[in-house]
Amino acid sequence: MRARFTSHSAPLCTSKLLGSASQTVPRFAETAKVRRVTRCSCRDGKPSASGVKPAVRFKVPVGGTTKFLDVVFGEREFSNDEIEDFVLLRSGKGEEEFGQAMYHMSVVVDDIDMRITHVIRGADHISNTPKQVLLYRAMGAAIPFFAHLPLILGADKSRLSKRHGATDVNMYRTEGFLPEAFRNFLALLGWAPGGDEEFLRTSQLLEKFSLQGVSRTNAVFDRPKLEWFNTQYLQKLPIDELLPEVEAQLRRSGLWKDEWATGAGREWFSRTVDLLRPRVRLLPDFASWSRAFFSDEFERDPAAKEKFWKEPAKIKELLRKTADALAALTEWSHDPCDHATRAVAEAAGVKAGLLINAIRVAIVGQAVAPPLFDTMVVLGQERVVRRLRDAVTELG
RNA sequence: GCCGCUAUGGUGCAACGGUUAGCACGUAGCCCUUUCAAGGCUAAAAUACGGGUUCGAUUCCCGUUAGCGGUACCA
């Protein structure tokens, strides 16, 4: 089988060659080892085997080279003798004379048609480019600029695939990465702005980016750094740009309330998101661990209780006293909450930190949350007191 | 196999003949502290190997090795 395939005397134009039955076609990786450059049999004046429909191949010049200018890799030159007589049109099936056009044929025709001036694509196409250049020439069209970009590899340095997790940009979106953070991260794969600053908003990237600055080395997709960019954007983005993203998350989780769209509700929403953002890593965190800020229906995390409610009886008593003290406040803001809480701790002879941590678990159900008194202000007096009393009940 | 591309800490990039080889992520430690982040400071950590060229190589040339890509009637 193999001998027939590589032999120059074989009827290379026929579909019979590769076999319509798949078992006659060895796996590509294996055939490559024994393979030589394919020349169309018609060069020897031999017609296709009778009865089989021919495919149309490109008659590559014998000898000489084909070169092109790559904006990233520079002047490239390939020997024509390394390029096989590649197939342009598949052989026809049934009644049709020819089948569908192959990739190289399609893209070149399409790009000429669309008057494409710059072909920017992955470096995996660099070896195929001379074939396309040959086609442009054969069709009398102007050859565009080519720019091949380094490939993005997985952490194991193999080509990025499903195995590496998300492979589709939309998946990063659903995971909760901000589009602009993702863009910033991606831009830095195979390119650097020059200075030391890596945090660049899209407008700045647009201004600084240049194809000539692109590196020729493949880059590894570094997920931790992507996450870092996301936290940076979550923190530094003007709050008005972040709010719609958070709103979308809350809507998705059924936590959204229309009163947060305008007026005082909007102001509260903005302040709350601003308070939460330094601790959020991914957008869905706003609806998950921050749930207690947007809904009264939340669970107290067992691990948090384990950590900060170590002595239930003592905690219960402290929380009960705190609830009373806070309920009595006539002004609900940071300092009064702070003073009242510390007074309870002092009276009970415990460290303020102990009480503070216990309260945090009681009012937001998490061990991790924004600074306590800011949290209290945002939640409001009525809610804080109620949650403290609920916690007392929960403690038995 | 053949052809081609690439090679700076674990990762992404700087340094484009002369620097104590720089920055960022990550890692470790310290500070801050009300949890956890953030932030600040510090530390460990690199020019793949071998030959040239040069007064001087991370940088230019050659070879080796390694990784990647291409080599399909896939795209």
Side-chain angles (χ1 to χ4, degrees):
Chain A
M1 239 8 108
R2 207 78 309 284
R4 275 195 16 230
F5 182 62
T6 55
S7 164
H8 282 219
S9 63
L12 293 170
C13 279
T14 69
S15 56
K16 186 72 177 275
L17 178 67
L18 283 173
S20 43
S22 57
Q23 81 274 15
T24 61
V25 185
R27 296 185 62 77
F28 176 66
E30 296 161 20
T31 73
K33 291 178 188 159
V34 293
R35 186 138 197 226
R36 281 187 288 157
V37 174
T38 302
R39 287 296 169 210
C40 180
S41 63
C42 61
R43 288 176 186 265
D44 304 330
K46 291 179 182 164
S48 299
S50 59
V52 274
K53 289 191 171 150
V56 176
R57 286 177 184 269
F58 185 91
K59 197 168 177 181
V60 175
V62 173
T65 61
T66 296
K67 46 186 146 181
F68 61 92
L69 182 66
D70 189 300
V71 183
V72 175
F73 287 80
E75 185 94 24
R76 293 291 104 173
E77 186 170 7
F78 290 82
S79 163
N80 289 332
D81 293 333
E82 293 297 331
I83 307 169
E84 67 169 2
D85 285 350
F86 53 101
V87 173
L88 261 23
L89 255 38
R90 295 179 169 88
S91 56
K93 284 197 178 93
E95 294 304 297
E96 50 184 22
E97 188 176 6
F98 296 112
Q100 283 203 308
M102 295 287 287
Y103 172 75
H104 296 302
M105 181 69 176
S106 307
V107 266
V108 170
V109 168
D110 197 44
D111 286 352
I112 291 173
D113 202 36
M114 302 303 285
R115 301 177 202 284
I116 298 300
T117 57
H118 292 66
V119 175
I120 303 174
R121 46 163 39 165
D124 50 344
H125 277 100
I126 199 161
S127 304
N128 280 325
T129 304
K131 289 178 188 168
Q132 297 181 3
V133 169
L134 251 17
L135 274 174
Y136 276 100
R137 265 214 273 279
M139 290 189 242
I143 295 167
F145 286 104
F146 289 95
H148 288 95
L149 273 22
L151 264 19
I152 297 175
L153 276 20
D156 58 357
K157 300 202 182 215
S158 74
R159 223 169 159 173
L160 212 52
S161 67
K162 316 100 243 162
R163 186 159 60 72
H164 296 103
T167 48
D168 170 344
V169 286
N170 291 314
M171 291 172 78
Y172 290 95
R173 175 99 240 226
T174 20
E175 263 197 77
F177 287 97
L178 288 162
E180 196 173 16
F182 191 76
R183 237 176 277 143
N184 193 159
F185 166 73
L186 227 43
L188 261 24
L189 249 30
W191 176 78
D196 280 345
E197 190 54 69
E198 291 193 317
F199 183 91
L200 299 170
R201 299 211 55 178
T202 304
S203 57
Q204 298 170 292
L205 289 173
L206 252 21
E207 188 184 313
K208 297 194 168 194
F209 186 83
S210 144
L211 280 173
Q212 3 282 329
V214 173
S215 124
R216 303 175 181 187
T217 325
N218 291 163
V220 172
F221 190 96
D222 186 20
R223 171 130 185 156
K225 190 154 186 176
L226 202 213
E227 290 177 359
W228 177 79
F229 269 112
N230 207 51
T231 58
Q232 290 298 307
Y233 273 85
L234 282 170
Q235 273 176 82
K236 296 180 183 170
L237 223 48
I239 192 73
D240 289 335
E241 291 183 45
L242 181 58
L243 260 22
E245 296 285 350
V246 180
E247 178 176 334
Q249 284 299 326
L250 296 180
R251 281 182 188 282
R252 200 162 303 152
S253 314
L255 297 176
W256 177 254
K257 291 193 181 70
D258 287 333
E259 63 191 75
W260 298 333
T262 54
R266 188 59 169 187
E267 200 192 310
W268 175 85
F269 181 57
S270 176
R271 248 191 313 145
T272 305
V273 169
D274 205 28
L275 187 61
L276 255 14
R277 71 204 289 205
R279 261 150 280 254
V280 171
R281 297 195 72 78
L282 295 170
L283 254 12
D285 292 340
F286 281 106
S288 55
W289 77 262
S290 310
R291 186 186 174 93
F293 286 80
F294 302 106
S295 169
D296 286 327
E297 289 164 33
F298 66 94
E299 302 281 316
R300 293 193 174 84
D301 176 31
K305 292 194 281 189
E306 173 72 25
K307 186 174 181 188
F308 293 125
W309 285 4
K310 278 201 166 71
E311 300 171 78
K314 184 170 160 193
I315 296 295
K316 182 184 170 182
E317 190 53 21
L318 283 168
L319 293 184
R320 197 186 55 72
K321 283 178 182 159
T322 307
D324 291 343
L326 293 178
L329 288 180
T330 50
E331 189 203 333
W332 192 256
S333 56
H334 184 286
D335 290 352
C337 288
D338 189 334
H339 297 149
T341 303
R342 288 182 196 280
V344 171
E346 197 174 334
V350 300
K351 284 177 67 180
L354 177 91
L355 213 209
I356 286 168
N357 290 331
I359 295 171
R360 180 177 297 107
V361 177
I363 68 176
V364 299
Q366 298 288 331
V368 175
L372 188 72
F373 305 115
D374 294 323
T375 299
M376 284 185 177
V377 171
V378 148
L379 288 179
Q381 185 172 28
E382 185 270 331
R383 223 179 215 165
V384 169
V385 171
R386 176 156 42 83
R387 288 180 183 185
L388 283 169
R389 296 199 163 128
D390 285 348
V392 169
T393 309
E394 187 169 331
L395 279 158

